[in-house]
Amino acid sequence: MASGASGGGAGCGMAGCGTAGGRCLLFLLLAAGRAVAPPGGMLYPRETPSRERKELGGLWSFRADFSPGRDAGFVQRWYRQPLRQTGPVIDMPVPSSFNDITQDPSLENYIGWVWYEKEVLLPLRWLQDDLNTRVVLRFGSAHYYSIVWVNGVQVMEHEGGHLPFEADISNIVQGSPGIPCRITVALNNTLTPHTLPPGSIQYMNDKTRYPKNYFVQNIRFDFFNYAGIHRPVVLYTTPSVYIDDITVTTTSSESVAMVQYQVSVVGSTLYSLSLSLRDQEGKVVATGDGPAGELKVLNPNLWWPYLMHKNPGYRYCLEVKMQAQVNGALLEDVYTLPVGIRAIHVTSTQFLINGRPFYFHGVNKHEDADIRGKGLDWPLVVKDFNLLRWLGANSFRTSHYPYAEEIMDLCDAYGIVVIDECPGVGIKMPESFGNKSLQHHLVVMEELIRRDKNRPSVVMWSVANEPASELPPAAYYFKTVIAHTKALDPSRPVTFVTDANYALDRGAPYVDVICVNSYFSWYHDPGHLEVIPLQLTTQFENWYKTYQKPIIQSEYGADSVPGLHSDPPLMFSEEYQKAMLREYHSVFDKKRKEYVIGELIWNFADFMTNQGTTRVLGNKKGIFTRQRQPKSAAFVLRERYWKIANESSCLPPIIKSHTLFLK
């Protein structure tokens, strides 16, 4: 996939191996025992009366390190001076993936270190050296390993994509008004057996077939390994004594709800806290004080999923106000947190939200689009949610990594139910089940739960997708990860998505809900639609007989090339995709009366993959094209989802009439 790295790295499997003694900078970083979750909270940077926010999106300077060892940036200390003084730079939009922005094929498939830089002037009021204002630099996500400097001073490192990280940079920028703040980021997208997702570097040493120092990045997942600063970068302020974290859980009945809260404050032990819970009209419905307690809400408006209530996604606003005396000055910090009141319960045959049976009829998605790759793009995000609601989808899984916080905000607001999945995709190699991988996986779950624990839309955690869960080490591995996840958040069920044989899966005993992927008449018995009813029925009956747990068909589908037609239906035609869906649906309709609680189509939209003989410009299993235009299957699914919603016993009559009007 990429050339230019030394093959003399003693087989360490890392892009970035230097020629000097096989030194591998990234390997040294990852081996340094850094698999510890950073302390503290990770509240989303909202503007409040006490907090300001400055967006750093737009064009950044960018340079890929094409040196033989991918380490010239560290050897020459590119972070010590403006990046443009180290050599040629190009403009790179942030947020975006860097792969598809240029016409350079070496950048499209680049593996190794790349460098970003942004210079920004900070408001004077942020820079007064009175120690009462914190300035924080926050990255929504960067893929995969990040090192960040401010004005040449290293301020943070972070391992893993898809989750936020931040650093207090007050001591570096304060006291120097008028001087630009220079932010430098070194980013490495190499995947190893111990990263999430895992991968491996393969060196091609046959000099008759490959150029010198040629290597490829091998992956065991079917989507393109986009890289870059994928989500917003912001600077924000807080007082020096500040609200660091808030944790909210809720319980409810028809007439009363209880909102339990915990608040942590950093910077002083002498402070006071007051809390106000407001409804959507701004009326205060409950108040509290102190770092932990319970708010009682009479006749609450519950958070309901889309199509389960006339007013889905209802959220209250919890205002937390902190006051503290510091050196004779009164400091005040205010943070507002949206709160949805809802309850989740899982039985052996049902998934209950607020005591009513919930059936997942939704999609799997990818953060993927033309040009921008996995970069957050607001027009695309809003278009996707409009398509989801048009489709009648009430849910999706964040396949196969956590999505942007901005996307999750809309799920909360619109009532779209989420199975929140970590980047544990492609865990196939035996070495990826060892202690090093396990420790990193535990940290990733800590970071994910810390970020999304307060979201009403998140109803279940998924710790992996299609791992080699039949391997002997998988039993201890998933028992540990799932137990850790439950300890961090006892309020939600935990699952992982399997494609293993029911009799061999060593992780399934520990999940609360069975999520199973199958592609009958596609990867198995390709072209034979007639085998689906028997094979799918047998699949469900085997899993339920073995585990007595509710089941979600977490993936099923077929590739279709837009505009390719065939009658009788043949593979890759739009007709075949429709026919396959209908065969699956006939079985779903029988089993959802028993213990099947959901169906998630693979996939919402076509997406990019690595090049290969089975992929023509990506995976074509979307019911929408990559440009978000519907294929024939989209109308089949839309008719089905609205019918399920209208037939649902938990759907109020007013919604039934409304959905008929929408159709």
Side-chain angles (χ1 to χ4, degrees):
M1 180 179 283
S3 61
S6 170
C12 69
M14 311 294 294
C17 290
T19 56
R23 183 176 64 87
C24 175
L25 180 62
L26 182 57
F27 177 77
L28 292 173
L29 292 170
L30 295 180
R34 209 177 299 277
V36 177
M42 191 61 70
L43 294 173
Y44 187 77
R46 305 182 188 278
E47 287 197 304
T48 73
S50 62
R51 298 179 175 219
E52 294 184 83
R53 168 177 165 144
K54 185 178 181 66
E55 299 276 354
L56 299 185
L59 295 182
W60 288 50
S61 295
F62 176 88
R63 184 180 180 189
D65 186 346
F66 284 104
S67 65
R70 299 289 199 261
D71 59 353
F74 294 96
V75 173
Q76 300 170 16
R77 300 183 180 181
W78 289 357
Y79 52 88
R80 298 290 296 272
Q81 57 190 317
L83 192 61
R84 63 183 179 275
Q85 295 179 10
T86 69
V89 297
I90 62 173
D91 290 334
M92 185 60 64
V94 171
S96 75
S97 302
F98 62 71
N99 309 81
D100 294 347
I101 298 298
T102 74
Q103 303 307 109
D104 185 352
S106 64
L107 196 57
E108 170 76 20
N109 296 309
Y110 179 87
I111 299 295
W113 290 100
V114 299
W115 293 72
Y116 286 80
E117 183 187 82
K118 181 81 168 180
E119 290 188 351
V120 58
L121 283 172
L122 304 185
L124 181 61
R125 60 186 176 277
W126 291 15
L127 303 178
Q128 296 170 351
D129 195 12
D130 57 9
L131 301 182
N132 285 335
T133 299
R134 292 172 68 240
V135 181
V136 182
L137 173 62
R138 187 185 198 269
F139 289 78
S141 78
H143 190 83
Y144 168 76
Y145 197 101
S146 305
I147 307 175
V148 183
W149 297 263
V150 173
N151 294 341
V153 178
Q154 184 176 326
V155 295
M156 58 179 149
E157 298 180 28
H158 184 256
E159 179 183 0
H162 316 292
L163 290 166
F165 53 99
E166 64 180 27
D168 183 341
I169 62 170
S170 308
N171 292 337
I172 297 172
V173 299
Q174 287 177 338
S176 303
I179 297 177
C181 172
R182 180 168 51 85
I183 300 165
T184 308
V185 182
L187 188 63
N188 194 312
N189 62 341
T190 305
L191 299 178
T192 79
H194 308 296
T195 57
L196 281 185
S200 61
I201 295 295
Q202 181 179 0
Y203 294 93
M204 303 301 191
N205 296 320
D206 186 344
K207 297 180 181 178
T208 67
R209 300 181 63 192
Y210 301 101
K212 184 180 179 181
N213 299 329
Y214 193 87
F215 69 91
V216 295
Q217 168 80 76
N218 292 322
I219 56 176
R220 300 292 294 272
F221 52 85
D222 188 36
F223 57 92
F224 192 79
N225 185 29
Y226 279 114
I229 301 177
H230 284 152
R231 296 174 188 162
V233 184
V234 301
L235 288 162
Y236 72 94
T237 64
T238 74
S240 57
V241 182
Y242 61 97
I243 299 164
D244 179 61
D245 198 16
I246 304 169
T247 301
V248 169
T249 56
T250 64
T251 57
S252 65
S253 64
E254 291 184 0
S255 59
V256 64
M258 305 304 293
V259 178
Q260 297 86 20
Y261 67 86
Q262 288 185 310
V263 181
S264 66
V265 173
V266 171
S268 175
T269 57
L270 301 175
Y271 59 85
S272 63
L273 281 169
S274 61
L275 299 91
S276 300
L277 188 68
R278 300 178 184 271
D279 64 18
Q280 289 187 352
E281 286 69 46
K283 178 183 176 181
V284 175
V285 298
T287 60
D289 57 68
E294 194 170 58
L295 306 178
K296 184 177 182 180
V297 183
L298 299 178
N299 301 314
N301 291 301
L302 300 183
W303 186 95
W304 287 102
Y306 178 51
L307 300 179
M308 270 187 90
H309 193 270
K310 64 181 179 180
N311 188 14
Y314 191 96
R315 294 180 298 169
Y316 293 84
C317 179
L318 179 64
E319 182 184 84
V320 182
K321 184 179 293 186
M322 183 280 308
Q323 291 185 329
Q325 289 281 346
V326 178
N327 298 326
L330 178 65
L331 296 186
E332 182 174 273
D333 190 21
V334 178
Y335 191 85
T336 56
L337 178 73
V339 172
I341 298 174
R342 59 104 180 95
I344 299 167
H345 182 61
V346 177
T347 73
S348 62
T349 59
Q350 291 182 315
F351 195 101
L352 304 175
I353 296 181
N354 300 329
R356 295 181 181 176
F358 177 76
Y359 186 76
F360 295 79
H361 49 88
V363 303
N364 295 276
K365 293 180 88 276
H366 266 299
E367 291 181 311
D368 174 277
D370 292 327
I371 302 174
R372 59 196 57 72
K374 291 192 179 301
L376 178 72
D377 179 77
W378 273 115
L380 183 73
V381 169
V382 174
K383 177 66 174 179
D384 280 2
F385 274 94
N386 285 333
L387 289 175
L388 285 170
R389 294 190 291 178
W390 173 86
L391 194 64
N394 63 8
S395 54
F396 66 74
R397 172 170 64 117
T398 67
S399 51
H400 299 298
Y401 39 81
Y403 292 173
E405 292 159 283
E406 292 77 7
I407 292 175
M408 304 298 285
D409 282 343
L410 291 182
C411 291
D412 290 340
Y414 295 159
I416 302 298
V417 169
V418 176
I419 301 172
D420 206 353
E421 190 164 271
C422 84
V425 57
I427 306 176
K428 302 289 190 181
M429 298 174 285
E431 55 265 50
S432 295
F433 288 93
N435 287 336
K436 184 175 181 180
S437 296
L438 176 59
Q439 182 63 30
H440 178 52
H441 203 146
L442 298 179
V443 170
V444 169
M445 293 310 303
E446 291 174 19
E447 293 186 1
L448 174 58
I449 292 171
R450 179 179 62 179
R451 193 194 78 165
D452 289 346
K453 61 187 174 183
N454 295 321
R455 297 192 175 279
S457 62
V458 175
V459 301
M460 187 157 52
W461 306 112
S462 172
V463 302
N465 176 78
E466 296 186 359
S469 50
E470 72 281 358
L471 295 178
Y476 175 77
Y477 188 94
F478 285 110
K479 179 181 180 180
T480 304
V481 172
I482 291 171
H484 186 65
T485 302
K486 286 177 172 292
L488 292 168
D489 177 22
S491 71
R492 290 178 177 89
V494 181
T495 189
F496 74 88
V497 176
T498 182
D499 64 348
N501 182 284
Y502 77 97
L504 302 177
D505 195 308
R506 297 173 183 266
Y510 307 107
V511 303
D512 299 301
V513 174
I514 300 292
C515 288
V516 59
N517 295 348
S518 59
Y519 290 89
F520 303 125
S521 85
W522 190 259
Y523 296 124
H524 311 282
D525 299 296
H528 293 279
L529 294 167
E530 66 275 9
V531 306
I532 293 175
L534 176 59
Q535 293 184 1
L536 185 58
T537 299
T538 301
Q539 167 198 277
F540 286 141
E541 291 177 351
N542 285 338
W543 277 102
Y544 191 74
K545 182 180 179 180
T546 304
Y547 291 105
Q548 300 290 302
K549 296 174 181 178
I551 301 171
I552 296 175
Q553 183 72 40
S554 41
E555 288 183 25
Y556 71 104
D559 286 78
S560 68
V561 178
L564 183 63
H565 297 285
S566 174
D567 187 23
L570 297 179
M571 292 179 68
F572 293 97
S573 69
E574 293 195 39
E575 285 74 21
Y576 192 90
Q577 188 181 39
K578 290 195 300 180
M580 174 181 280
L581 265 58
R582 289 192 172 109
E583 293 291 345
Y584 267 82
H585 295 165
S586 67
V587 179
F588 294 161
D589 284 339
K590 296 175 183 177
K591 293 302 180 182
R592 67 186 174 99
K593 298 174 183 177
E594 302 176 38
Y595 47 76
V596 171
I597 61 168
E599 56 190 75
L600 304 176
I601 187 71
W602 188 269
N603 191 282
F604 172 74
D606 294 345
F607 57 91
M608 189 53 64
T609 65
N610 278 355
Q611 298 181 68
T613 53
T614 61
R615 295 284 177 254
V616 183
L617 291 179
N619 188 306
K620 294 293 192 293
K621 291 189 181 67
I623 59 169
F624 298 99
T625 68
R626 201 181 189 209
Q627 294 73 37
R628 274 50 177 184
Q629 297 304 311
K631 302 178 188 177
S632 300
F635 297 95
V636 171
L637 214 61
R638 181 176 191 254
E639 181 180 2
R640 173 173 179 77
Y641 284 177
W642 283 107
K643 182 180 179 181
I644 292 174
N646 282 323
E647 291 176 348
S648 173
S649 61
C650 63
L651 192 63
I654 188 172
I655 299 298
K656 292 185 178 181
S657 62
H658 182 56
T659 58
L660 290 174
F661 173 75
L662 284 176
K663 292 181 71 180

